Amino acid sequence: MNILDKIVNDKRVEVNLRKQLIPVEQLEQSVLFERQTVSLAKRLRESNTGIIAEHKRRSPSKQVINHNLNVFDVAKGYENAGVCGMSILTDGKYFGGSLDDLLTARSSCKLPLLRKEFIIDDYQILEAKAFGADAILLIAAILTRDEIKQFSEFAKQLHLDVLLEVHNEKELHKSIMPSIDMLGVNNRNLKTFEVSLETSKQLSELIPNDFVKVSESGISNSEAINILQPYGYKGFLIGENFMKTVNPGESASQFIKDLLS
């Protein structure tokens, strides 16, 4: 069993527990449920930097990244730096995140927020909406084509953007459908954890231009973005690079200055 299988098994147990604790009706009564969402895809299309900055405390591949930062300050810092959007890991067991992080970031900034989670149930999409997200992540590696269709269409009904993440050509082919806004190519091999920008390059020509192309993982300098932009990428998800510093907002600001200089 690989790490992704383990995470998904634990997630099923967790989601079933959460459903018992907080019924759907309660989520739908959240103050934020009626909030007008901001399109991350639109922001990326219009941007010349395309940075989606991430809040992530730890990961299975790197263990602790940063446990000392306050989400409120990180979100504020990212917004001041001029990023296009913010990705927030809400998985607790493996990434040290929570839905409260999403709520805190929402109260701190006006950026489009992506709930980065292992979504395996409609309930988690309702949670994303109720806690202030503007977009959700779907991971092709853990979903069937029917599930991708079901979850992405449900997200669209709630006015949430959908970022669909793929790792290879097979996952990409089962994922192309009108209810997806952004197609993300993860440069990290899930089996070996090795990272290579070649993955983004190779898959770029197979992604129709109707979708906003996003490259994820392994983007640690502005040169990587300069390499990928000619391949049609408009979005670049950067987490570790900013989060491992004392001031992620300042790091993001410097990164964007370098990129534009």
Side-chain angles (χ1 to χ4, degrees):
M1 190 186 279
N2 67 25
I3 185 70
L4 206 51
D5 295 332
K6 274 194 194 130
I7 292 173
V8 170
N9 284 348
D10 287 339
K11 194 57 64 180
R12 291 195 193 284
V13 175
E14 181 196 316
V15 172
N16 285 334
L17 276 172
R18 294 179 80 90
K19 281 177 167 178
Q20 290 166 35
L21 289 168
I22 304 175
V24 165
E25 296 73 30
Q26 199 173 322
L27 290 175
E28 289 172 340
Q29 283 162 14
S30 151
V31 175
L32 291 169
F33 207 82
E34 297 305 316
R35 174 185 158 268
Q36 192 170 355
T37 53
V38 182
S39 172
L40 176 59
K42 185 169 184 287
R43 284 272 173 100
L44 293 175
R45 277 191 202 280
E46 293 168 355
S47 168
N48 53 358
T49 59
I51 308 293
I52 306 166
E54 191 156 85
H55 180 271
K56 174 164 67 171
R57 291 186 182 86
R58 64 174 188 265
S59 74
S61 62
K62 284 283 162 72
Q63 300 310 313
V64 173
I65 296 165
N66 200 327
H67 277 178
N68 305 318
L69 297 169
N70 175 313
V71 186
F72 190 92
D73 295 336
V74 173
K76 206 77 174 140
Y78 281 158
E79 185 172 41
N80 291 341
V83 303
C84 287
M86 182 172 174
S87 160
I88 295 164
L89 256 304
T90 58
D91 172 78
K93 183 169 181 180
Y94 295 90
F95 291 87
S98 74
L99 275 163
D100 284 345
D101 290 339
L102 188 55
L103 209 52
T104 303
R106 181 74 291 147
S107 68
S108 166
C109 72
K110 291 188 166 62
L111 289 170
L113 299 181
L114 168 75
R115 181 187 187 189
K116 198 171 185 193
E117 181 55 271
F118 300 86
I119 289 179
I120 41 114
D121 195 297
D122 281 340
Y123 182 82
Q124 294 162 287
I125 302 172
L126 286 168
E127 281 182 326
K129 178 74 171 171
F131 280 78
D134 299 280
I136 59 159
L137 174 77
L138 295 178
I139 302 170
I142 63 173
L143 301 170
T144 63
R145 181 172 173 83
D146 286 346
E147 285 172 328
I148 293 169
K149 187 173 189 295
Q150 177 192 329
F151 296 151
S152 57
E153 287 179 354
F154 185 52
K156 297 317 292 173
Q157 285 171 28
L158 297 174
H159 306 291
L160 295 169
D161 274 5
V162 179
L163 169 62
L164 193 287
E165 175 179 297
V166 301
H167 298 85
N168 54 46
E169 194 174 329
K170 188 181 171 195
E171 289 176 10
L172 178 61
H173 286 314
K174 75 171 179 183
S175 307
I176 291 177
M177 55 187 78
S179 45
I180 303 294
D181 302 285
M182 299 164 279
L183 265 163
V185 177
N186 194 328
N187 299 306
R188 190 185 303 281
N189 182 313
L190 289 177
K191 294 189 175 76
T192 62
F193 285 126
E194 285 173 7
V195 175
S196 169
L197 295 184
E198 290 305 313
T199 313
S200 280
K201 290 182 188 176
Q202 286 161 10
L203 292 182
S204 67
E205 60 198 42
L206 303 174
I207 302 173
N209 290 330
D210 316 355
F211 304 99
V212 176
K213 297 181 195 180
V214 179
S215 186
E216 311 170 25
S217 296
I219 297 162
S220 54
N221 52 43
S222 53
E223 189 189 345
I225 292 180
N226 291 328
I227 289 168
L228 291 171
Q229 278 176 332
Y231 287 86
Y233 285 93
K234 292 292 289 176
F236 306 92
L237 196 132
I238 304 173
E240 231 157 81
N241 201 51
F242 301 148
M243 283 301 293
K244 65 188 179 189
T245 65
V246 180
N247 188 329
E250 223 166 72
S251 306
S253 182
Q254 191 54 54
F255 190 98
I256 289 171
K257 275 182 194 141
D258 293 346
L259 185 60
L260 295 175
S261 63

